[in-house]
Amino acid sequence: MGATPISATQLHVCLYLANTLASLFDVHRVRGRVLKRGEFPFYPDVQQEIDKLSFNGVLKIESVDFGAKGQMTPHLGLGPKGLEIYRLLLNGSPDASRLARLFRELVAASFGKFLFANSAIGPIDANYGSNLVLEGEVVDFSEWTDENKNMEVARYLLNRLKDMRPQADRDGIRLYCDYLDKALALAA
C-alpha cells in the first residue's frame, strides 16, 4: 500500500494469499475468517478494521471506483500515521519484517498480472475454489492448516524448480502467482 494505492478488493485478495502462503516466509498465519462471496475472498472482521484505519488517518482513500447498484470500491494507500506505524513496527519486530517481506514479494509477484488486471481468484484458487466451501459460508482459516491446497501447489512447483533457483521463498510466491495468472487467463 505504500508503493501504490490498492483497492479494498485487491487488499482482501492479498490478505488471503498471504495467509495461505505464509509458511514460505516462516510467518504465522493470522487466524481470520474468510467469507466465500463470489469471485473474491472477503474478510468481514478485517474490513471493519480497514474502515477504522481509513477514518483514523492510518490509511488514506486515494480514489473510489463506483460500480453497479451504488457499490463503491476505495483504493487505499498509507497515510502519514500509517507510514510512521509501519516504520516503528519494522524497527521493533523481526516478525513484522518477515511479514512485510512476504507482502512485498506477493505484490511484486502479482504486479502487472492478475492482481491488477483480474483479481477474481475465487473460481481457480486451490482452497477458496473448493466445492466443499459453500457460497456465503464463513470459513475459519485454521481449518486449512493441514489441507492447505495453495501450499501444496506452491511446494509442488518449488520442488520441480529447486535445482534451478536457490531463492525458494521468493520463488514460491512468484510461481504460485504465475500459476494464478495463467489459470485466470485460461478461465477468461
Side-chain angles (χ1 to χ4, degrees), residues 1 33 43 59 68 72 75 87 101 104 108 111 126 154 187-188:
M1 289 173 59
R33 294 161 34 109
Y43 292 91
L59 301 176
M72 297 185 301
H75 291 259
R87 287 186 189 113
R101 185 167 169 235
R104 280 193 309 270
F111 190 78

Side-chain angles (χ1 to χ4, degrees), residues 34-54:
V34 63
L35 176 65
K36 187 166 184 177
R37 186 179 80 174
E39 298 178 328
F40 305 96
F42 181 74
Y43 292 91
D45 48 348
V46 172
Q47 186 59 50
Q48 292 174 357
E49 296 303 317
I50 292 170
D51 294 342
K52 287 178 192 175
L53 292 172
S54 296

Side-chain angles (χ1 to χ4, degrees), residues 45-113:
D45 48 348
V46 172
Q47 186 59 50
Q48 292 174 357
E49 296 303 317
I50 292 170
D51 294 342
K52 287 178 192 175
L53 292 172
S54 296
F55 289 109
N56 287 324
V58 175
L59 301 176
K60 64 180 176 180
I61 299 172
E62 302 278 350
S63 63
V64 177
D65 291 339
F66 295 95
K69 299 180 185 176
Q71 214 171 17
M72 297 185 301
T73 304
H75 291 259
L76 305 164
L78 285 177
K81 284 184 188 177
L83 287 170
E84 183 180 332
I85 292 168
Y86 176 73
R87 287 186 189 113
L88 288 171
L89 283 172
L90 283 184
N91 292 333
S93 168
D95 289 336
S97 295
R98 283 195 307 276
L99 185 60
R101 185 167 169 235
L102 166 64
F103 275 99
R104 280 193 309 270
E105 292 294 334
L106 184 58
V107 171
S110 57
F111 190 78
K113 295 183 180 181

Side-chain angles (χ1 to χ4, degrees), residues 138-154:
V138 177
V139 180
D140 191 316
F141 225 90
S142 63
E143 294 176 13
W144 287 335
T145 300
D146 298 327
E147 296 182 19
N148 185 341
K149 302 296 182 203
N150 294 22
M151 277 304 304
E152 289 178 25
V153 172

